[in-house]
Amino acid sequence: GEREIREAQEALRKHHPPQTEILPLYARLSVAEQERIFQSHATRRIVLATNVAETSLTVPGIRYVVDTGLARVKRYSLRNKIEQLKIEKVAQASANQRSGRCGRVAAGVCIRLFDEADFVARPRYTTPELLRSSLAGVILRMKALKLPEIEAFPFLDAPEAKRVRDGYQLLQELNAIDEANRLTQIGQQLAQLPLDPKIGRMLIAAREKACLAEMLVIAAALTSQDPRERPHEQTQAADERHKRFADENSDFVSLLNLWRHINELDAHRKSNKQFRETLKREFISYLRVREWRDVHHQLATMVKEMGWRVNEQPADHASLHQALLPGLLGNLGFLTEDNVYLGARDMKFLIFPGSGVKKKPKWLMAAEIVETKRIYARTVARVEPQWIEHAARHLLKISYSEPHWEKRPAHVAAAMRATLYGLPVVAGRKVHYGPLDPALCREIFIRAALVEGEFETRAPFFAHNAKLLKEIEDLAHRARNPRLMPDEQTLYAWFDARVPEGIHNGRDFDAWRREAEAKSPRLLFLERESLLKIRGADTADFPRELDLSGVRFALAYRFEPGEADDGVSLIVPLAALNQVPAERCTWLVPGLLEEKITALIKSLPQQLRRNFVPVPDYARAAAEALSAGTSPLTDALAAFLHKSTGVAIPRDAWREDALPPHLRMNFRVLDEANRILGEGRDLAALRRQLGSQASRQLQQSTTKLERDSVSRWDFGDLPEQVEVPQGQRKIAAFPALMEADGKVELRFADSAQAARDRHRRGVCRLLWLSFPDLLRQIEKDLAARLKTACLHYGLLAKGLSCEGLLRDVLYSAARACLPVDAAELRNQTAFESAAQAARPKLAEAARETARLAAECLSHAHSLGQTLARPAAAKEAVADLQAQLKGLVFPHFVAELTPQQLAHLPRYLRGMEKRLDKLAKNPGRDAQSMRAMAGLLAAWQTRQRRLEEGGGSTVEMEDFRWRLEELRISLFAQELKTPEPVSVKRLEKLWQEIVAGKP
């Protein structure tokens, strides 16, 4: 090929003396360069030609021929429907003809680059063109001339049957023959055109699209040689000149641009010589232009004689390319993700590098697809898929999928897919499927529009049916009994018996309905009695609201296993989030209690579960005996089963996390506008996320009821709970007296427990404020007593102050003096009576509490310094550090009860005793540590789990101080304990706590 000749030319120049002239010869050379081989010369000349013999070209003076024995032969590929230009071995006749190129004027020599055995093995003659070309044109002419069918015609070399079939297929593609292989009207017109059938088909289409003038130019160009030249030494200059004609979307338009330019040059020429020189400067071959014009003239004359009208107005881009398409349907390409084009029959190709279409379009068509070393599309243009669909409608393979109901147009639609030779011309287009499959569409219409309610209509029956089905669905969701709902097949059969055949869209249905209802008004009205398959569902077992500590919360039900809100959802206004009692919510609703108890028993380990067989009987008995209370369901169930069987169930044995989601309450937190702020089954996690926001929301609702400064009880009784409006709902708020910077304020908490804790301290502070003279005297006295203690206290943590310690001491003293728990005082008279009873004890209690605080802080400071020093017994030191941190911490005086605070110095002295003994006998200390290690670890693990869930229990708090007493008995027996304590006693007590025994 051209590239090989250029490479050989460069290689020869390196190995021959300068006086040797080396000339190329191939078709794409300019005429001037081709004619150089015929010019006289005085030096030695070497001509590098592609295929001189096949053109019968004789060059004077040739003495030697070097024959490679190869040629690029044009063959038509039946599989890919493309022209191939592959290098093949030439036949014996061609080799002999090549050798005949030398010795015309003198003796010559032919040097063959292959041996004689190879020559003898080759065929004698080249394959006839009839056997290596498309037969579409031959078949067309034979049918037009009414010759015998091609299969029966007596050819000297008859073509293969598969080549004949290919010819028929191309004619069918061009719509030139029908299914019986008879000429169509288009085929008869094609037979009159002495052109390739594909190009003829373009002219016929151009006549219909009013772009015949442009198509004549393109048709002439496609049947002639390209007039643009690219001399080897001036390729860049030639490309720059030719770039002016390029169109970024179409090489066909580029040909039109070139045609117009040539005509403009011809119109302004002064002489034929000047015209030829101008063309030469612009790298355009004059001879090929003349050939192009001659062919165009012949075609124009031919269509004129046929009476075709040539358009005078320029055709637009779309019309021109739509006219090209019918002749090029086999040469389409679809750009794939691999950045190559997928053509017909899974053929892959690239755009020829010389094309002016540089931005790869999604779809393109090509004048020809040729295979050399690679497969290239030449003379290409961008096309739109809808053009292809119109031009190739007789070839498209159409399929439909996913028929479904479309609510807006009220008909059944399907996804249409149309392919052309495997290329996806249409993918997923929605079309009206009713006329294509009426029976299927009627079924889909009934199921989707009437059964599922996907139908926009104001018909009375439709609203009635939707309301009735919603009521039954709501009952089924609440009861978690899908059998209450009529199944789709039942509803389908009901409508199928009433809707006549042929009705498959909304328009036809409404027309029939109006006519049918005139005779039978309630023909399409469903009836509740006929739909409810199971009766007796008790709505009281599935209430719409739940009363939690006097606050009513709405409930929502959903029966959708796998969905996040499957089961029962408690609707929680944001401001009431911290008020929800988690223990009560474990009971769910009565209708689900037996199912949950069953699941809980089945979640037990096997050694426990086997004591409660059959499980359904125990679950039924428990559900009948138990009623929702303030304790968790598992505690009540454990007590019931222990009473029934004598088997104790540890609290840790229950595995509520293993229950199906619908057996755990779902919490949905809403703001005032009913927007969901958070949702889930982990109430503690929701409180961590939204708890502070909930508190702020409650404060905004109770601002008008609060008081900023309270110095005496003059506001009457203080209820434990009040209702305040929150949007369209009412929520509970819990009033409490709270201490803030030494003052007392009336505020509202968002939970009863938080209100009790704050109210206790607020009442104690109000007690001191009731005796201002005593308060001033005691504060002055304690400030002096706590001077050193304040320094030690400030070292515990950043931000601790002496004022804070003093208030904690006063609070603890008042708490010790009051005859009742301060949290219970909500009546003015009761408070005043308690205050008078406590008054004589306050001063002494404050001094004693201050002494205890100072003593504890002194011990803690000393212990902290000692434990900070390096020591060998690292485990013991770590244990002591953890113990100290749990005894003396910020606000420990207020956090601990007065009774616990009284024992604190003894525990700290016990730590000092332990340190003294540790230095003398570390082995005994380690033995004592091991003795209590199991109990300590078990308590710490359970306590962490309880704190993560929102709090501790009285039993766990009591056990925590029993562990401190155990430390005294193990490490400092001389300090004595108030009551006997041992590892064995505590292990027994721990088993009772774990088992949930009272």
Side-chain angles (χ1 to χ4, degrees):
E2 175 183 343
R3 184 169 57 85
E4 291 83 353
I5 286 183
R6 289 177 178 176
E7 292 174 355
Q9 185 177 1
E10 295 298 325
L12 287 172
R13 283 174 177 168
K14 294 178 182 178
H15 296 87
H16 284 269
Q19 61 270 22
T20 302
E21 185 179 16
I22 302 172
L23 298 178
L25 180 61
Y26 49 87
R28 288 182 59 85
L29 276 177
S30 65
V31 176
E33 288 182 310
Q34 292 183 24
E35 290 179 348
R36 288 178 58 190
I37 65 171
F38 299 104
Q39 297 172 0
S40 60
H41 54 94
T43 60
R44 187 180 187 184
R45 176 177 290 172
I46 298 176
V47 177
L48 297 174
T50 51
N51 206 0
V52 177
E54 278 68 9
T55 59
S56 300
L57 181 65
T58 299
V59 181
I62 292 181
R63 302 296 176 87
Y64 303 94
V65 168
V66 178
D67 182 11
T68 61
L70 303 173
R72 192 176 292 277
V73 179
K74 182 177 180 180
R75 290 185 184 275
Y76 179 72
S77 169
L78 292 175
R79 187 176 68 86
N80 293 329
K81 315 299 181 185
I82 60 174
E83 298 288 350
Q84 295 177 319
L85 293 173
K86 290 190 174 182
I87 297 175
E88 302 178 1
K89 292 181 178 181
V90 299
Q92 292 182 15
S94 293
N96 292 331
Q97 191 177 18
R98 288 182 176 185
S99 65
R101 296 304 100 195
C102 65
R104 293 301 181 92
V105 295
V109 176
C110 176
I111 303 170
R112 289 175 175 162
L113 301 182
F114 50 96
D115 56 28
E116 187 174 359
D118 187 1
F119 175 81
V120 173
R122 297 185 182 197
R124 294 188 62 187
Y125 302 104
T126 304
T127 304
E129 187 173 358
L130 180 69
L131 303 183
R132 51 186 172 89
S133 302
S134 172
L135 298 178
V138 176
I139 296 172
L140 184 66
R141 296 291 180 274
M142 292 180 69
K143 285 186 174 292
L145 295 173
K146 301 187 183 304
L147 295 176
E149 295 296 327
I150 189 172
E151 300 91 334
F153 194 83
F155 290 106
L156 293 177
D157 295 299
E160 302 170 290
K162 58 183 179 180
R163 290 192 174 275
V164 174
R165 287 195 300 270
D166 177 79
Y168 279 118
Q169 288 173 3
L170 178 55
L171 291 178
Q172 288 173 351
E173 178 183 302
L174 299 176
N175 208 8
I177 57 175
D178 57 20
E179 295 180 355
N181 290 338
R182 295 188 299 266
L183 286 181
T184 63
Q185 185 177 358
I186 291 177
Q188 293 171 357
Q189 294 180 59
L190 278 179
Q192 299 177 37
L193 300 175
L195 294 168
D196 181 279
K198 292 182 178 181
I199 297 176
R201 183 67 182 89
M202 297 177 197
L203 289 175
I204 295 173
R207 180 190 178 193
E208 300 170 358
K209 295 290 182 180
C211 56
L212 189 55
E214 289 81 5
M215 191 61 72
L216 288 171
V217 175
I218 294 173
L222 296 178
T223 54
S224 309
Q225 292 191 56
D226 192 335
R228 290 167 289 191
E229 296 181 331
R230 294 179 75 245
H232 178 53
E233 297 82 1
Q234 296 176 289
T235 54
Q236 185 174 354
D239 289 343
E240 287 296 325
R241 288 283 187 174
H242 297 160
K243 191 185 297 183
R244 294 174 298 166
F245 316 123
D247 184 273
E248 62 178 5
N249 292 318
S250 173
D251 289 335
F252 298 99
V253 175
S254 299
L255 291 173
L256 291 175
N257 293 338
L258 177 60
W259 176 265
R260 296 187 188 105
H261 179 69
I262 293 171
N263 288 342
E264 288 178 6
L265 293 179
D266 193 17
H268 294 88
R269 68 175 180 173
K270 295 182 179 179
S271 63
N272 191 52
K273 180 179 179 182
Q274 183 191 37
F275 179 53
R276 298 182 65 161
E277 290 175 352
T278 303
L279 291 177
K280 184 177 181 181
R281 287 195 301 270
E282 299 202 2
F283 301 99
I284 300 173
S285 170
Y286 171 76
L287 293 178
R288 293 176 185 171
V289 166
R290 191 171 67 181
E291 178 189 359
W292 187 6
R293 285 181 158 184
D294 289 343
V295 175
H296 175 266
H297 176 72
Q298 294 170 12
L299 292 177
T301 302
M302 177 183 63
V303 298
K304 185 177 180 180
E305 292 174 351
M306 294 172 65
W308 292 7
R309 183 175 177 275
V310 179
N311 56 295
E312 297 179 359
Q313 297 297 325
D316 57 49
H317 178 92
S319 298
L320 175 62
H321 290 81
Q322 288 174 31
L324 287 165
L325 259 177
L328 302 176
L329 293 175
N331 291 354
L332 292 171
F334 175 75
L335 187 63
T336 65
E337 294 179 356
D338 299 333
N339 215 26
V340 299
Y341 281 93
L342 177 66
R345 306 166 188 89
D346 292 328
M347 177 178 57
K348 293 184 178 180
F349 60 85
L350 299 171
I351 298 177
F352 186 69
S355 171
V357 180
K358 301 302 182 185
K359 294 181 180 179
K360 294 183 177 179
K362 192 67 178 176
W363 284 89
L364 63 72
M365 63 179 171
E368 59 177 349
I369 298 178
V370 179
E371 181 179 7
T372 54
K373 288 188 175 180
R374 302 188 69 174
I375 301 178
Y376 288 108
R378 297 177 183 267
T379 314
V380 302
R382 177 182 62 83
V383 293
E384 300 296 335
Q386 56 268 29
W387 300 349
I388 303 172
E389 181 184 1
H390 176 75
R393 56 182 178 272
H394 62 292
L395 299 173
L396 293 178
K397 290 186 177 180
I398 298 176
S399 60
Y400 301 92
S401 62
E402 303 175 9
H404 61 280
W405 174 253
E406 284 285 342
K407 186 174 182 179
R408 180 67 64 180
H411 65 225
V412 177
M416 185 184 87
R417 176 179 172 84
T419 59
L420 174 64
Y421 300 134
L423 298 179
V425 178
V426 179
R429 178 192 296 167
K430 287 184 179 179
V431 296
H432 183 10
Y433 196 57
L436 300 172
D437 193 342
L440 174 62
C441 291
R442 177 181 177 273
E443 179 182 349
I444 294 174
F445 166 72
I446 293 176
R447 292 189 183 279
L450 302 181
V451 175
E452 298 177 12
E454 293 296 316
F455 187 28
E456 291 184 352
T457 179
R458 296 181 180 178
F461 89 91
F462 194 80
H464 165 83
N465 292 351
K467 182 180 178 182
L468 178 59
L469 290 173
K470 180 63 178 175
E471 291 174 358
I472 298 176
E473 181 185 15
D474 181 58
L475 180 59
H477 274 284
R478 289 156 64 189
R480 295 192 68 79
N481 189 349
R483 292 181 298 167
L484 292 175
M485 275 291 293
D487 59 77
E488 288 188 4
Q489 189 57 36
T490 300
L491 292 174
Y492 172 79
W494 192 87
F495 282 109
D496 182 46
R498 289 160 175 78
V499 178
E501 296 293 332
I503 302 294
H504 54 69
N505 60 68
R507 184 188 61 185
D508 294 345
F509 173 80
D510 278 337
W512 165 80
R513 175 186 58 81
R514 284 190 288 268
E515 185 177 329
E517 286 180 349
K519 301 176 182 177
S520 179
R522 299 191 66 81
L523 175 66
L524 297 174
F525 281 68
L526 292 168
E527 296 180 357
R528 183 186 185 91
E529 292 72 19
S530 62
L531 293 180
L532 276 176
K533 294 184 176 180
I534 301 174
R535 292 170 176 77
D538 189 356
T539 56
D541 289 339
F542 302 94
R544 294 187 179 275
E545 291 184 330
L546 202 60
D547 190 332
L548 302 178
S549 303
V551 183
R552 301 194 69 81
F553 292 86
L555 293 174
Y557 298 86
R558 188 178 185 190
F559 182 35
E560 289 288 346
E563 294 296 328
D565 59 346
D566 179 41
V568 189
S569 295
L570 190 74
I571 309 303
V572 185
L574 175 61
L577 176 60
N578 295 321
Q579 303 171 6
V580 178
E583 294 80 8
R584 171 61 184 83
C585 292
T586 61
W587 293 79
L588 294 177
V589 293
L592 293 176
L593 183 59
E594 183 178 336
E595 184 182 355
K596 180 165 185 176
I597 290 174
T598 302
L600 281 171
I601 296 175
K602 289 182 178 179
S603 75
L604 292 171
Q606 185 178 3
Q607 62 270 22
L608 288 173
R609 187 173 66 245
R610 65 189 178 189
N611 296 295
F612 313 114
V613 177
V615 173
D617 293 347
Y618 280 92
R620 189 178 307 109
E624 292 174 355
L626 300 177
S627 58
T630 56
S631 62
L633 170 60
T634 50
D635 287 358
L637 180 59
F640 172 82
L641 294 175
H642 181 256
K643 182 179 179 181
S644 302
T645 63
V647 178
I649 303 177
R651 284 179 174 169
D652 292 342
W654 302 109
R655 295 180 54 214
E656 289 199 64
D657 56 341
L659 299 184
H662 76 276
L663 294 180
R664 291 181 289 136
M665 184 70 82
N666 181 58
F667 301 93
R668 183 178 301 153
V669 184
L670 306 179
D671 63 7
E672 293 185 11
N674 287 329
R675 291 174 300 212
I676 298 177
L677 300 177
E679 187 170 6
R681 304 184 192 273
D682 189 342
L683 182 59
L686 285 172
R687 283 173 173 165
R688 287 193 295 272
Q689 176 188 352
L690 300 168
S692 58
Q693 188 177 343
S695 299
R696 290 194 298 271
Q697 186 74 31
L698 181 64
Q699 290 173 9
Q700 293 174 6
S701 301
T702 58
T703 301
K704 295 180 180 180
L705 304 175
E706 295 177 343
R707 290 179 61 175
D708 292 334
S709 181
V710 178
S711 58
R712 59 179 179 162
W713 198 303
D714 58 358
F715 42 82
D717 294 346
L718 196 63
E720 292 186 0
Q721 177 179 320
V722 297
E723 286 189 348
V724 295
Q726 176 70 26
Q728 298 178 351
R729 309 181 185 91
K730 285 189 176 182
I731 62 172
F734 304 89
L737 295 176
M738 304 181 187
E739 181 185 359
D741 296 329
K743 298 180 181 180
V744 176
E745 300 173 346
L746 176 57
R747 295 286 184 262
F748 288 81
D750 50 11
S751 70
Q753 186 58 47
R756 284 179 59 83
D757 294 340
R758 296 173 187 176
H759 187 64
R760 180 182 291 113
R761 179 144 186 164
V763 168
C764 289
R765 186 60 181 175
L766 186 59
L767 174 64
W768 282 105
L769 293 176
S770 300
F771 309 107
D773 294 337
L774 178 61
L775 176 60
R776 284 193 296 272
Q777 179 187 344
I778 291 297
E779 284 181 339
K780 185 177 181 180
D781 184 16
L782 295 186
R785 291 173 182 266
L786 295 174
K787 188 174 182 179
T788 304
C790 285
L791 297 175
H792 295 156
Y793 186 64
L795 297 174
L796 288 179
K798 186 178 180 181
L800 296 178
S801 65
C802 192
E803 290 81 2
L805 177 61
L806 177 60
R807 288 180 192 140
D808 287 349
V809 168
L810 293 174
Y811 162 62
S812 183
R815 188 177 179 185
C817 294
L818 284 169
V820 296
D821 185 357
E824 303 296 335
L825 292 173
R826 289 184 170 272
N827 177 274
Q828 182 176 353
T829 303
F831 170 75
E832 291 173 350
S833 175
Q836 291 303 320
R839 168 70 178 80
K841 309 173 189 177
L842 282 174
E844 184 58 32
R847 294 187 184 98
E848 175 60 19
T849 304
R851 185 193 67 75
L852 288 172
E855 183 180 355
C856 291
L857 287 167
S858 176
H859 283 301
H861 181 68
S862 176
L863 284 167
Q865 289 182 324
T866 302
L867 294 173
R869 302 186 190 117
K874 293 183 179 180
E875 291 185 6
V877 169
D879 181 52
L880 285 163
Q881 287 174 336
Q883 183 186 4
L884 179 60
K885 188 176 180 182
L887 294 175
V888 181
F889 50 87
H891 302 292
F892 73 98
V893 177
E895 294 289 336
L896 302 178
T897 66
Q899 293 75 20
Q900 293 167 347
L901 185 63
H903 291 286
L904 205 58
R906 181 165 56 89
Y907 298 150
L908 294 168
R909 290 197 299 275
M911 294 176 66
E912 293 173 342
K913 296 286 187 184
R914 179 183 177 185
L915 276 172
D916 293 339
K917 295 177 182 180
L918 178 64
K920 299 174 185 178
N921 193 349
R924 182 175 180 181
D925 187 279
Q927 183 179 357
S928 298
M929 278 185 61
R930 287 193 295 272
M932 70 173 298
L935 285 169
L936 182 61
W939 180 85
Q940 289 173 339
T941 301
R942 187 179 182 86
Q943 182 67 11
R944 278 195 299 269
R945 188 165 62 249
L946 288 172
E947 289 175 353
E948 290 173 357
S952 185
T953 63
V954 175
E955 294 84 0
M956 290 291 287
E957 286 295 319
D958 176 69
F959 195 83
R960 178 252 188 280
W961 295 108
R962 290 180 184 273
L963 287 173
E964 293 297 334
E965 295 296 342
L966 180 62
R967 288 179 182 274
I968 295 294
S969 70
L970 291 174
F971 300 107
Q973 298 89 343
E974 61 270 28
L975 296 181
K976 307 297 182 181
T977 59
E979 58 183 36
V981 64
S982 66
V983 172
K984 190 173 182 180
R985 289 172 184 266
L986 291 191
E987 285 177 345
K988 182 180 179 182
L989 177 61
W990 181 252
Q991 292 302 321
E992 293 177 355
I993 293 174
V994 170
K997 293 182 180 179

